[in-house]
């Protein structure tokens, strides 16, 4: 992540996604705060993002787009409830990012099957790299 605007944009996209089901669960909020901390976004800036409706800045690097998709997928699973709206929204976001839909679906299915929804980063990248061959 290069600029402050890009960091805020990533977090804003995650906030919008977290509220797509009409409810922000405590675990989702906690996860968002951890990401904000990782991105060096202050608590005040973090709270302000809940009141913004700007469109996220497109992510140029494919690796960063995959990383953001995976963050969203983790966020989707962190409250323990998979909503149909979340599932449809994450697929739409992934398409808008230019990610391969079959790879996206494989990752989401794999996450459902693992006990803690965490996928090895190497496996995650391999799934998306297979689509390039």
């Amino acid at each position: 992540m290069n600029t402050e605007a890009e960091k805020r944009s990533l977090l804003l996209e995650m906030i919008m996604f977290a509220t797509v089901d009409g409810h922000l669960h405590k675990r989702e909020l906690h996860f968002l705060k951890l990401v904000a901390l990782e991105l060096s976004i202050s608590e005040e800036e973090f709270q302000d993002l809940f009141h913004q409706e700007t469109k996220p800045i497109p992510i140029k690097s494919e690796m960063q787009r995959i990383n953001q998709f995976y963050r969203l997928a983790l966020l989707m699973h962190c409250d323990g409830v998979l909503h149909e709206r979340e599932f449809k929204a994450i697929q739409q976001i992934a398409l808008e990012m230019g990610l391969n839909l079959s790879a996206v679906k494989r990752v989401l299915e794999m996450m459902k099957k693992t006990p803690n929804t965490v996928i090895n980063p190497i496996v995650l990248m391999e799934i998306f790299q297979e689509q390039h061959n």
Side-chain angles (χ1 to χ4, degrees):
M1 225 27 46
N2 297 338
T3 67
E4 290 301 313
E6 289 172 327
K7 291 177 184 180
R8 284 191 300 274
S9 178
L10 285 177
L11 197 52
L12 180 61
E13 181 177 44
M14 293 181 75
I15 289 168
M16 291 183 332
F17 180 70
T19 57
V20 77
D21 62 358
H23 183 269
L24 183 63
H25 191 277
K26 276 197 274 186
R27 289 182 191 164
E28 291 171 326
L29 181 60
H30 180 69
F31 185 82
L32 290 168
K33 284 183 177 185
L34 289 174
V35 172
L37 184 63
E38 178 184 319
L39 296 174
S40 302
I41 294 176
S42 71
E43 178 67 25
E44 184 178 314
E45 284 179 285
F46 175 71
Q47 292 300 325
D48 187 49
L49 289 173
F50 282 91
H51 306 288
Q52 293 184 17
E53 293 186 25
T54 57
K55 198 138 173 97
I57 298 171
I59 304 168
K60 293 179 181 136
S61 157
E62 182 181 29
M63 191 167 185
Q64 288 178 338
R65 290 191 312 265
I66 292 168
N67 190 23
Q68 178 67 354
F69 159 74
Y70 185 58
R71 279 190 205 111
L72 292 170
L74 287 171
L75 180 61
M76 180 173 82
H77 286 87
C78 78
D79 66 355
V81 180
L82 286 176
H83 294 277
E84 185 63 28
R85 278 192 204 170
E86 289 174 325
F87 191 73
K88 287 180 181 179
I90 198 167
Q91 289 184 57
Q92 183 61 39
I93 291 168
L95 279 174
E96 290 170 7
M97 286 181 181
L99 297 177
N100 181 285
L101 192 55
S102 69
V104 165
K105 288 180 179 180
R106 279 187 59 203
V107 169
L108 294 174
E109 280 301 313
M110 189 178 287
M111 289 179 80
K112 275 187 199 176
K113 293 176 182 175
T114 60
N116 61 0
T117 70
V118 176
I119 297 176
N120 181 313
I122 294 169
V123 173
L124 178 68
M125 293 309 293
E126 285 173 353
I127 291 171
F128 281 96
Q129 290 302 316
E130 284 175 8
Q131 303 308 313
H132 292 286
N133 296 331

